[in-house]
Amino acid sequence: MQAASKLNRSGLKATTPRMVVLDVFEQNPERHFKADDVVRCLEERKVDLGLPTVYRVLAQLTEVGLIARSIFDFARASYELQAPRPHGHCVCVSCGSIEEFADEIIEARQEQAAAKLGFEVSERHEILYGRCAKCRAKGARVSS
């Protein structure tokens, strides 16, 4: 869907900064971005938005549910398009790559566990840390 109509439906005005940032995510739907990654993508497109503006736009897009914010490396947030279904992430501690996974059995067990405790789930995060196949194959060590 086009960025302008997504923004309008979310209640945000379709400003140029919001549209170009959202377009970065729409053009790379499988990718997880840090704020400086978004700035680099915009620079490649010859769009001049500073890091403070990008952070502000990311916060606005997160607030209305168009993108999701996660912290995988205990330092900086990563952002991705809001997924229609819950999913988890596998994060490589050597190279930092992020892969998504979805598992209906895990989701069902989480719902069962919550229901047993009388708990209503509003949000969930599954993050698995380890080394990806490429890093294991080349014997890469955990980065510090």
Side-chain angles (χ1 to χ4, degrees):
M1 180 181 293
Q2 191 175 21
S5 63
K6 274 188 176 180
L7 287 165
N8 288 330
R9 283 194 347 202
S10 73
L12 287 178
K13 191 180 276 188
T15 64
T16 299
R18 291 174 182 155
M19 289 193 316
V20 295
V21 169
L22 186 55
D23 188 61
V24 167
F25 288 91
E26 289 180 336
Q27 296 301 314
N28 302 278
E30 300 297 317
R31 190 158 168 215
H32 298 80
F33 292 92
K34 292 188 174 24
D36 53 345
D37 298 328
V38 173
V39 170
R40 273 193 294 284
C41 286
L42 293 172
E43 287 171 349
E44 290 171 8
R45 297 177 181 195
K46 308 291 188 236
V47 175
D48 184 28
L49 276 188
L51 191 57
T53 301
V54 169
Y55 270 116
R56 187 177 66 252
V57 169
L58 290 171
Q60 294 165 345
L61 296 175
T62 300
E63 187 174 320
V64 297
L66 292 175
I67 62 172
R69 179 180 184 267
S70 300
I71 298 180
F72 298 122
D73 62 8
F74 307 107
R76 296 182 304 159
S78 291
Y79 301 86
E80 64 181 308
L81 276 178
Q82 188 66 267
R85 296 200 59 219
H87 63 276
H89 297 91
C90 292
V91 180
C92 180
V93 296
S94 294
C95 71
S97 67
I98 302 169
E99 297 292 329
E100 295 179 358
F101 70 91
D103 189 309
E104 292 177 11
I105 295 171
I106 291 172
E107 291 173 36
R109 288 291 297 133
Q110 288 175 335
E111 289 294 334
Q112 290 169 358
K116 186 176 179 180
L117 298 170
F119 193 81
E120 180 182 341
V121 177
S122 61
E123 193 174 327
R124 69 179 89 224
H125 298 277
E126 293 95 23
I127 305 172
L128 306 176
Y129 294 95
R131 292 188 321 139
C132 68
K134 287 181 185 178
C135 288
R136 285 194 334 273
K138 62 184 177 184
R141 298 279 180 230
V142 174
S143 62
S144 20

